Amino acid sequence: MPPFSCVLVGNESLLVECAKVLTGRGHHIATIASRNAEVIAWATGAGIPVVAPGKGIADRISAEFDWLLSIANLSVLPGALIARARKGAVNFHDGPLPRYAGLNAPVWALLNGEARHGITWHRIEGGVDEGRVLAQRLFDIGPDDTAFSLNARCYGAAIETFPAVVEALERDEPGQAQDLTQRSVCRRDDRPQRAGRLDFSRPVTEVLRLVRALDHGGYWNPL
């Protein structure tokens, strides 16, 4: 199949791993938009133009491209940029859609006592995280999983499933529509009850679940 061109937007090392898959299959990365130093250094070394994300991103990307890929990107992309993707746009989501749309999905899955979690690659269309699914991977949540470890497992699942995503893009597959009657959304400003304060009158399992859900290791805790 002929190679396609793409623009990548994201601020985590996951973008680099996905970019390596793309170039390894002969596809052209026209531009990368990122503020992450590791991503910028890799792109510069690979000879790929880099621009800043955020407001005005559409004006900073001058290249023509087939696919727009949002990978570990927490900002809503402007419609003007999405419209320029000749074939479409795809987003990586760190939760199983449609059940956990929005932000901080691993945290809310742990807080809600879910037995399973997962990741989803979907087309960008309709509302936030509502697009057709190109690939999804579900896995069990372990008894000792924290927000940190669950995020790491989402990262691993994203890398493992990305080759299938690229194959779907090569074939221009439409993807599977979501059952939006099963949709729930985790909002940016959603917070645990009582601001996450531990209540030792509650069952031990409930208290430990809250601790694990808010344990981001050495990383910033968005909640």
Side-chain angles (χ1 to χ4, degrees), residues 63-74:
E64 298 295 321
F65 55 96
D66 297 314
W67 292 100
L68 175 63
L69 304 181
S70 173
I71 304 172
N73 162 53
L74 300 182

Side-chain angles (χ1 to χ4, degrees), residues 147-166:
F148 174 79
S149 67
L150 202 53
N151 271 298
R153 295 178 68 193
C154 287
Y155 180 106
I159 294 173
E160 291 170 2
T161 53
F162 189 65
V165 174
V166 177

Side-chain angles (χ1 to χ4, degrees), residues 3-168:
F4 59 72
S5 59
C6 55
V7 166
L8 277 54
V9 183
N11 297 297
E12 301 292 343
S13 59
L14 175 60
L15 183 149
V16 173
E17 298 306 314
C18 292
K20 292 176 181 177
V21 173
L22 287 163
T23 56
R25 292 181 68 93
H27 300 300
H28 173 62
I29 302 175
T31 307
I32 288 177
S34 182
R35 64 174 63 92
N36 179 284
E38 180 182 348
V39 173
I40 294 171
W42 180 85
T44 301
I48 299 171
V50 180
V51 300
K55 186 177 181 180
I57 182 175
D59 296 328
R60 290 189 290 275
I61 296 176
S62 58
E64 298 295 321
F65 55 96
D66 297 314
W67 292 100
L68 175 63
L69 304 181
S70 173
I71 304 172
N73 162 53
L74 300 182
S75 301
V76 176
L77 296 174
L81 180 62
I82 296 172
R84 285 172 51 194
R86 288 185 289 248
K87 291 183 176 295
V90 175
N91 179 60
F92 165 69
H93 180 66
D94 60 353
L97 295 176
R99 179 69 180 92
Y100 279 91
L103 298 176
N104 306 310
V107 174
W108 291 106
L110 287 169
L111 283 171
N112 292 335
E114 299 286 0
R116 305 198 82 198
H117 193 59
I119 61 93
T120 310
W121 292 93
H122 66 94
R123 285 180 176 258
I124 300 176
E125 54 191 3
V128 174
D129 296 334
E130 288 186 355
R132 289 165 290 172
V133 173
L134 294 174
Q136 189 170 75
R137 171 72 61 83
L138 303 178
F139 48 82
D140 293 338
I141 295 177
D144 297 321
D145 265 326
T146 64
F148 174 79
S149 67
L150 202 53
N151 271 298
R153 295 178 68 193
C154 287
Y155 180 106
I159 294 173
E160 291 170 2
T161 53
F162 189 65
V165 174
V166 177
E167 291 176 7

